Each structure stands twice: as C-alpha cells, then as structure tokens.
C-alpha cells in the first residue's frame, strides 16, 4: 500500500491501517519535504481517543503531552445574532453578551424524552426565559470559569474532546508508524502517477527518480487531490451554491495562561464576511478567519482579523489559504482511495476534519479490497462517505441560514442561499414540533442542532407533541438539579490551567509553556 502525502491525514492513515491490517500489509508513505507552516490548531470530536489512540495502544496522557494538547468541551458561538467586537466576555447564568454554546452529546432525559422537548415547551409557552445551553447542560459554567473536565486526580466529570497542534500530531504518528509498525517513509516529490490500461495506478514516480509500486494507493495529498482528481480525473462537487466561504487567514498567538487561564472550548466568532475560530492550547492559541472572497479581499479580511486580536499584520506571521468546499463524486475510484481534504472539505465550523479522516479509515478497513478490487466494496464505501459528509454539510449550512445577523452583505446573502433538500426536511420537522430523540442524522440526534438552532433563536412553531402534563411539571426538578450541579462545579472542578500544568509538567519544564 502506498500513501501519498503526510500531514495528519497521511500519518493517521498509516498508523491506523498499520494496526488494523497488521504486518502482512507493507505501508509506504511518500511525503514531499516539509514546508514550515503556522500551527493554527485543530479541534476534535469526543470519540477520538477511544476509537483511534486506544486502538493504537497509545495512552491519552502520552499523546497529549507530545502534541501540546488541551481539552475541549464544546464550541462557544460569539456574535452570530448581533454585530460585535468579537471578544466574548463571561456572562452570568442565563444572560449577558451575545454568545451561546454547542455542547457535546444529548442533554439529560426525563420520562423517556430528552430535556430538549421540555425546554422547548417551556420557552414557547412562556414558562422559562433561560437560554437552552444553561438550562439543559452543566458545562456552560465550566466555559465561563475556564474549568477542567478532569479533576486533579484524573477522574472526569463530563465528556470532552481535544485541541492540539496538528503538525505535532503528524510528527508523533510518523514516529509511531515508522518505529513501532515498520512503515516506510520516503521524503520526495511526486512527478507522475503511472496508470495501466485498466485505469489502475501501478506506481508513483518521483523527482529523485524513484518508482514506488503498490496495489492500493491512498491519496492524502490535500486539496490538490493529486491522485484522485488529477491522475484518476474524478470530478469534485463543490458547494458554491450552498456555502459562501472560500478563503482563510490563520496564525498562532502567544497567550499568558497563568494570568488569563485556558478556555476549555473552541470559539467561533462571527465577523463581517465570515467567522473566526480560536483554539486554545498550552501557551498559545491557534486562530483563523474563514471568509468569503465575494464580500471582501485578502487585505480587508487580514485587517479585520488582526484588529480583533491586536496584531500588527506587518510583523505577525500569517498563512493565507484558498480552499474548496465540497467532496469528490466518488471517494474511491479503481485502486485509489482519497482520505482527508483530498476527499472532502468543509470549513471547520463543525470541527469535522479529523473526524472525517477517522471515519473514512474505519470504513476503508470495513470494506478493504482483495486483489480483485470488487467494485461493490468501493460502491459501499462511497455511499457511506457521501452520507457522512451530507450530515456535516447540513449542519454547517444551518448556522449561516438561521443566524439572525443581517448587518453586512455577507450575512444577508447567507439567507438567500438555497438549502440542500436534506436540511429543508430536517428543519420542516423541527418547525412542526416533530423532534425525535434520534433518527435524523448524527448531529440531530446528539443535540447539536438543538444547541445551535435554539442558540440562534430559531425555535419550533409549536411545542413538541407527546409530552405528558405530569412529566412537564416534574421536569422542573430536573432543571433545578442542573442548576445545583452548576453551582457545585464552580467550587469543585479545578481550573483547566492547573490541570494542564500538572499534565504537561515534563514538557513545560523544557519549553517554558507554563
């Protein structure tokens, strides 16, 4: 097997497939010589450790220390309803600045239904004015007070994901795949993919004169799609009619963690022509402004971005990126499988980048081919990749379509974009009060849609059906219990800075991060 491209996609692929397929499969990674980039941070989903690092046999503490990692309990959305400066400030329970939180996982249940239903009923009938996030989850107070999801003895009190430096993760997994699994690492540049009369790739030729042969080729070359798009000529289906953003400016900013604490969440801050992410890591945060070139040029976006963080664009190292939003018509063609941005790409509003890579790898192992390359395996893989992408595409589009902001041409144009049919159906059912506990896609069933739509002020047109009067009354005790737990957390959960200082003390002593 030959993998084209390193980075986090290539080395996740090499290490995961090396573990899943064992020593019977030889893995070679062809990676162009590294070009230093600014690590703007990566945010992940909560299942990353159990489904990936645990599978590799790597402890959470080991990879976190090696990759400058921190914890993430969700996303805080800032200024998606009204214009603002971009700076989120702590708010008291239930009020304050324009921000709301998307928390991982569904809220607690009551009488066989999620609290979502009872909160919606209370809001539409005037029984409650408290925001959805603070009413149904404990974690918003942990956001406000910058608390750790783990106590100092290591026990966790809630689910969480991670923030990390993607370059450090790639380097860590490269060492693991080469030293522990016997993968071959070749630093060279692709010049040509050799294709036989059956339309299969037989070898990759390089600038140094190598001919790297293989039976299965995995394209992890990024948005260029050097194998899947250029060699195999598979078309890329863009989302220009559904999503406007196509550019980004990114950087990393030093941060005084001891003085200001470490935020246990990703920030998504609405801007004049898009939005900015903030990913806190020990000693710094990664950030990037994702914007639409139809509504602002590079200089304008850079100026707005740097003003928000107080940076001088003349001296601050900045990356300027173009990207394509969409997916390949087929992710697997012949004996070529695309993984990561060479397969599909969405702006990181749902933090799906690493999740897409891991999801594709699980499906590739599930449908792994033999030497006959039965097209049925590729067809099933392609169908599952398309469904995975569609769920995330709908979720990302919902943020822009239902955000109340209309203060700039960009935000007004977002309301005019045609939603994809699947999102139209989901929203129709939501507006009708047909809110199942599960069954409308991953993001719907895990509470994500409810957090975002309720946070944006977009509510069903009527209360959910099927609520018993007795259950509505007794749900008040559940909401009151969440309030007690929030108050307790403020006094019992440690600051995230304190926990990270303990976790990273070996690296901190060398690097001076703390």
């Amino acid at each position: 097997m030959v993998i084209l491209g390193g980075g986090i996609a290539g080395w996740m692929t090499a290490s995961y497939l090396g573990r899943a397929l064992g020593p019977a499969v030889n893995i070679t990674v062809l990676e162009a010589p590294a070009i230093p980039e600014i690590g703007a941070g990566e945010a992940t989903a909560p299942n990353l450790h159990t489904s990936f690092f645990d599978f590799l046999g790597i402890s959470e503490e080991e990879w976190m220390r090696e990759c400058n990692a921190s914890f993430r309990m969700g996303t805080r959305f800032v200024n998606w309803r009204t214009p603002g400066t971009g700076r989120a400030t702590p708010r008291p329970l239930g009020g304050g600045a324009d921000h709301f939180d998307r928390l991982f996982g569904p809220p607690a249940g009551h009488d066989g239904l999620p609290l979502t239903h009872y909160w919606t009923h209370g809001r539409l009938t005037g029984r409650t004015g408290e925001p959805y996030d603070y009413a149904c989850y404990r974690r918003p107070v942990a956001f406000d007070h910058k608390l750790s999801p783990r106590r100092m003895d290591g026990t966790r009190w809630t689910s969480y994901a991670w923030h990390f430096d993607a370059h450090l993760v790639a380097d860590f997994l490269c060492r693991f795949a080469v030293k522990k699994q016997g993968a071959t690492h070749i630093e060279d540049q692709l010049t040509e993919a050799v294709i036989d009369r059956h339309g299969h790739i037989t070898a990759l030729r390089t600038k140094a004169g190598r001919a790297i042969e293989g039976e299965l080729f995995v394209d992890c070359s990024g948005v260029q799609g050097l194998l899947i798009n250029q060699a195999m000529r598979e078309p890329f289906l863009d989302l220009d009619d559904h999503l406007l953003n196509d550019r980004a400016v990114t950087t990393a900013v030093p941060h005084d963690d001891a003085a200001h604490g470490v935020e246990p969440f990703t920030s998504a801050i609405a801007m004049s022509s898009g939005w900015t992410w903030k990913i806190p890591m020990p000693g710094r945060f990664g950030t990037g402004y994702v914007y639409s070139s139809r509504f602002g040029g590079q200089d304008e976006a850079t100026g707005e971005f740097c003003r928000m963080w107080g940076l001088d664009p003349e001296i601050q190292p900045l990356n300027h990126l173009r990207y394509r939003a969409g997916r390949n018509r087929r992710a697997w063609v012949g004996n070529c499988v695309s993984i990561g941005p060479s397969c599909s790409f969405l702006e990181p509003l749902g933090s799906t980048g690493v999740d897409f890579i891991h999801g594709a790898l699980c499906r590739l192992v599930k449908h792994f081919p033999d030497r006959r390359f039965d097209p049925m395996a590729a067809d099933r893989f392609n169908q599952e990749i398309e469904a995975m992408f569609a769920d995330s595409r709908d979720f990302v589009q919902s943020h822009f379509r239902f955000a109340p902001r209309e203060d700039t041409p960009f935000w007004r144009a977002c309301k005019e974009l045609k939603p994809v049919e699947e999102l139209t159906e989901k929203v129709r059912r939501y507006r009708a009060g047909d809110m199942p506990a599960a069954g409308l896609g991953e993001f719907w069933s895990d509470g994500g849609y409810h957090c975002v739509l309720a946070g944006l002020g977009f509510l069903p047109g009527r209360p959910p059906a099927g609520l018993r009067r007795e259950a509505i009354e007794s749900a008040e005790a559940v909401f009151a219990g969440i309030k007690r737990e929030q108050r307790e957390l403020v006094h019992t959960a440690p600051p995230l800075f304190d926990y990270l200082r303990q976790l990273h003390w070996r690296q901190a002593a060398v690097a001076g991060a703390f």
Side-chain angles (χ1 to χ4, degrees):
M1 180 193 310
V2 179
I3 299 168
L4 176 63
I8 192 167
W11 290 111
M12 282 185 69
T13 298
S15 56
Y16 190 88
L17 295 183
R19 173 69 176 84
L21 304 176
V25 176
N26 296 319
I27 295 177
T28 298
V29 179
L30 173 59
E31 181 177 21
I35 300 173
E37 294 184 2
I38 300 166
E42 192 84 37
T44 72
N47 67 339
L48 177 69
H49 180 75
T50 55
S51 59
F52 182 78
F53 286 106
D54 262 355
F55 181 69
L56 298 182
I58 301 171
S59 72
E60 183 179 5
E61 289 75 14
E62 179 184 359
W63 74 259
M64 285 189 70
R65 286 172 178 149
E66 292 282 342
C67 302
N68 198 41
S70 182
F71 296 118
R72 172 184 184 237
M73 290 187 275
T75 302
R76 174 155 286 182
F77 292 85
V78 182
N79 296 331
W80 286 74
R81 296 178 298 229
T82 58
T85 63
R87 299 295 183 114
T89 55
R91 65 175 176 177
L93 294 183
D98 176 9
H99 62 265
F100 65 90
D101 301 330
R102 187 231 161 164
L103 295 314
F104 295 134
H110 179 66
D111 196 44
L113 292 171
L115 279 183
T116 300
H117 294 52
Y118 299 96
W119 178 88
T120 302
H121 180 276
R123 174 55 66 93
L124 294 178
T125 58
R127 292 171 64 100
T128 182
E130 187 171 31
Y132 172 79
D133 46 6
Y134 281 85
C136 296
Y137 292 87
R138 296 179 292 171
R139 279 165 279 171
V141 297
F143 285 22
D144 292 340
H145 295 275
K146 302 176 185 177
L147 304 179
S148 170
R150 282 186 178 271
R151 303 189 188 278
M152 296 305 288
D153 63 1
T155 58
R156 65 169 66 192
W157 59 265
T158 187
S159 62
Y160 56 81
W162 297 267
H163 293 143
F164 54 60
D165 185 318
H167 302 310
L168 294 180
V169 172
D171 291 344
F172 175 73
L173 292 176
C174 172
R175 296 192 300 272
F176 176 84
V178 172
K179 294 179 180 179
K180 298 290 184 67
Q181 297 178 321
T184 300
H185 181 202
I186 298 175
E187 290 192 271
D188 202 347
Q189 190 170 345
L190 175 73
T191 57
E192 179 189 7
V194 181
I195 300 177
D196 66 15
R197 61 188 179 88
H198 302 293
H200 282 205
I201 301 172
T202 60
L204 303 183
R205 291 180 177 155
T206 73
K207 187 175 182 180
R210 295 180 174 93
I212 304 171
E213 297 181 346
E215 294 177 288
L216 178 68
F217 291 81
V218 183
D219 188 349
C220 296
S221 64
V223 295
Q224 291 178 298
L226 296 176
L227 298 183
I228 193 73
N229 300 128
Q230 297 188 30
M232 305 300 282
R233 300 187 182 280
E234 184 65 12
F236 185 82
L237 309 178
D238 65 55
L239 288 175
D240 289 351
D241 292 337
H242 304 293
L243 292 170
L244 295 174
N245 293 328
D246 59 353
R247 300 285 192 276
V249 53
T250 72
T251 193
V253 180
H255 186 260
D256 188 340
D257 296 345
H260 304 294
V262 181
E263 293 167 340
F265 55 88
T266 306
S267 294
I269 306 162
M271 309 283 278
S272 65
S273 297
W275 64 280
T276 286
W277 77 75
K278 179 186 179 187
I279 295 179
M281 295 170 285
R284 65 184 178 92
F285 63 87
T287 181
Y289 180 9
V290 180
Y291 65 96
S292 172
S293 61
R294 303 183 212 178
F295 298 94
Q298 178 175 299
D299 291 344
E300 183 180 354
T302 300
E304 183 181 5
F305 178 60
C306 288
R307 284 192 299 274
M308 183 177 69
W309 298 125
L311 306 174
D312 183 346
E314 298 298 323
I315 61 175
Q316 178 71 21
L318 300 169
N319 279 337
H320 296 280
L321 310 172
R322 294 186 178 192
Y323 67 84
R324 56 181 191 175
R327 63 173 177 85
N328 294 327
R329 184 180 61 183
R330 294 175 296 173
W332 179 346
V333 180
N335 67 336
C336 177
V337 180
S338 54
I339 302 286
S342 63
C343 171
S344 62
F345 185 83
L346 281 172
E347 58 197 87
L349 194 53
S351 302
T352 52
V354 172
D355 206 36
F356 277 178
I357 295 169
H358 177 254
L361 292 173
C362 292
R363 289 163 175 81
L364 178 56
V365 170
K366 174 183 174 184
H367 301 297
F368 200 77
D370 57 22
R371 286 185 169 86
R372 297 173 300 166
F373 281 95
D374 182 353
M376 288 293 292
D379 289 345
R380 288 192 291 268
F381 177 86
N382 289 331
Q383 290 167 6
E384 292 177 15
I385 294 297
E386 181 179 349
M388 180 175 67
F389 179 82
D391 267 346
S392 298
R393 174 206 61 203
D394 297 353
F395 188 58
V396 169
Q397 190 182 32
S398 68
H399 294 68
F400 297 103
R401 181 164 183 80
F402 301 111
R405 279 191 70 159
E406 293 187 344
D407 59 302
T408 67
F410 169 82
W411 290 102
R412 291 191 289 272
C414 287
K415 312 303 182 292
E416 299 170 2
L417 290 173
K418 181 180 179 180
V420 291
E421 292 183 7
E422 293 89 341
L423 178 59
T424 300
E425 173 60 16
K426 290 172 183 175
V427 172
R428 183 194 68 78
R429 294 184 64 177
Y430 174 80
R431 288 289 290 168
D434 182 7
M435 298 163 58
L440 281 176
E442 176 188 354
F443 284 106
W444 191 276
S445 61
D446 80 349
Y449 268 104
H450 297 297
C451 283
V452 170
L453 296 182
L456 293 172
F458 184 74
L459 300 176
R462 62 187 182 193
L467 298 181
R468 299 187 309 111
R469 178 174 296 180
E470 297 85 352
I472 293 172
E473 297 297 330
S474 57
E476 294 303 318
V478 181
F479 289 117
I482 291 172
K483 285 287 157 288
R484 287 194 301 272
E485 292 174 349
Q486 289 174 345
R487 291 190 293 270
E488 291 171 3
L489 277 176
V490 172
H491 298 291
T492 60
L496 180 54
F497 170 75
D498 289 350
Y499 187 84
L500 292 177
R501 180 171 54 181
Q502 173 179 280
L503 175 69
H504 287 285
W505 68 269
R506 293 176 183 170
Q507 277 67 27
V510 176
F514 291 93

